[in-house]
Amino acid sequence: MILFISQNPYKSTSANIRNLSILEGLILNNEKVDLIFFSYGLRMISINNVEDLKVLKSQSNTTQKKSIKIITFLKKILLNFMSSVFVHGKYFFLSYIPLRKLKLKKKYNLIISSSDPKNIHVLAFRIKKYYNIYCAVSQIWGDPFLTDISRKSNIMIKKRIIKEEANIINLADQVYYLSKMTSESQKKIFPQFSEKIKYVFESFKPQQMF
């Protein structure tokens, strides 16, 4: 049994395309998965077979909703402000969200956390610690934290980000990046974690994570 923690699988994002591919690989390799994600609170669904996965895929949103220009503009201002104040930007709350409603009772062989957002990895550690789960943790990073070009950060936030990124990597047994260039770059930034940092194809075989 694998515990998989990611963003809301019903949203249309590149990260979710990857996550669905990983889940499919796990199921095809006869693994059963409990998927935890945030959607107005933490939710969990069990994926035990191909049919369960088909249901999840069929419910995933494939269209982007159009927003009114003024709302989009105000949202951008708010997000920029949060990114300048909080290390994890708008997802800072995942470090504090209550965990007791999950009521996990199963034994897991592996925990996989898949970003973005990066705070998913922190959430995974919080869940492991709260429920006393004894197993390895594998992190999958769509993008690194400090060198993420999609985020504009000031110098003060960057100093906090590199410290937080090191703390997050330290929580995992294995850390996977989808680009060989990225994995090599991360080894140079965090040489103390070079042995656990790995590169894996996006369409990898799940056995590589055991």
Side-chain angles (χ1 to χ4, degrees):
M1 177 67 74
I2 293 175
L3 186 61
F4 194 96
I5 304 166
S6 68
Q7 63 173 252
N8 186 340
Y10 302 113
K11 288 186 175 181
S12 179
T13 65
S14 58
N16 273 335
I17 293 174
R18 180 186 72 241
N19 291 336
L20 289 172
S21 176
I22 295 170
L23 289 170
E24 182 176 8
L26 293 171
I27 295 301
L28 291 177
N29 280 273
N30 300 315
E31 295 293 339
K32 294 183 179 181
V33 180
D34 279 346
L35 172 62
I36 292 177
F37 59 95
F38 177 83
S39 180
Y40 302 102
L42 290 180
R43 295 176 57 191
M44 184 175 75
I45 57 176
S46 294
I47 307 172
N48 298 318
N49 49 52
V50 174
E51 292 304 314
D52 290 342
L53 186 62
K54 286 181 179 179
V55 171
L56 176 62
K57 284 185 174 183
S58 68
Q59 295 174 345
S60 296
N61 185 18
T62 56
T63 59
Q64 296 286 352
K65 293 182 179 179
K66 293 183 178 180
S67 300
I68 301 173
K69 287 185 178 180
I70 185 64
I71 295 178
T72 301
F73 176 72
L74 292 174
K75 185 184 292 185
K76 185 176 181 180
I77 292 176
L78 178 60
L79 293 179
N80 287 338
F81 170 74
M82 295 179 79
S83 292
S84 67
V85 175
F86 303 108
V87 171
H88 290 284
K90 65 179 180 179
Y91 295 103
F92 72 93
F93 65 89
L94 290 177
S95 295
Y96 310 100
I97 191 170
L99 306 175
R100 60 183 180 276
K101 290 185 178 180
L102 289 172
K103 299 180 181 179
L104 300 181
K105 296 180 180 179
K106 299 175 184 177
K107 290 184 178 180
Y108 297 98
N109 302 319
L110 177 68
I111 294 176
I112 300 175
S113 56
S114 179
S115 61
D116 282 345
K118 279 77 172 176
N119 218 9
I120 286 291
H121 303 305
V122 177
L123 176 62
F125 177 75
R126 291 184 61 223
I127 290 172
K128 179 183 180 182
K129 185 177 180 180
Y130 186 88
Y131 286 98
N132 296 313
I133 302 173
Y134 298 97
C135 68
V137 175
S138 291
Q139 296 176 356
I140 303 174
W141 290 70
D143 295 296
F145 209 164
L146 178 66
T147 57
D148 188 350
I149 60 174
S150 66
R151 174 173 179 167
K152 296 180 180 179
S153 305
N154 57 50
I155 295 176
M156 293 302 296
I157 281 291
K158 283 186 175 181
K159 289 181 179 179
R160 292 166 58 192
I161 284 176
I162 193 170
K163 183 178 180 180
E164 177 69 357
E165 188 169 12
N167 290 337
I168 293 175
I169 293 175
N170 187 49
L171 300 176
D173 297 284
Q174 296 175 321
V175 180
Y176 295 92
Y177 296 94
L178 305 179
S179 159
K180 188 172 184 180
M181 184 181 297
T182 300
S183 64
E184 292 303 315
S185 174
Q186 289 296 93
K187 288 179 182 179
K188 292 178 181 179
I189 297 173
F190 304 104
Q192 68 273 36
F193 302 126
S194 60
E195 291 187 3
K196 69 167 68 176
I197 293 175
K198 305 176 186 298
Y199 156 64
V200 67
F201 286 108
E202 191 160 344
S203 56
F204 67 92
K205 295 181 179 179
Q207 295 97 320
Q208 296 180 24
M209 304 193 68
F210 291 88

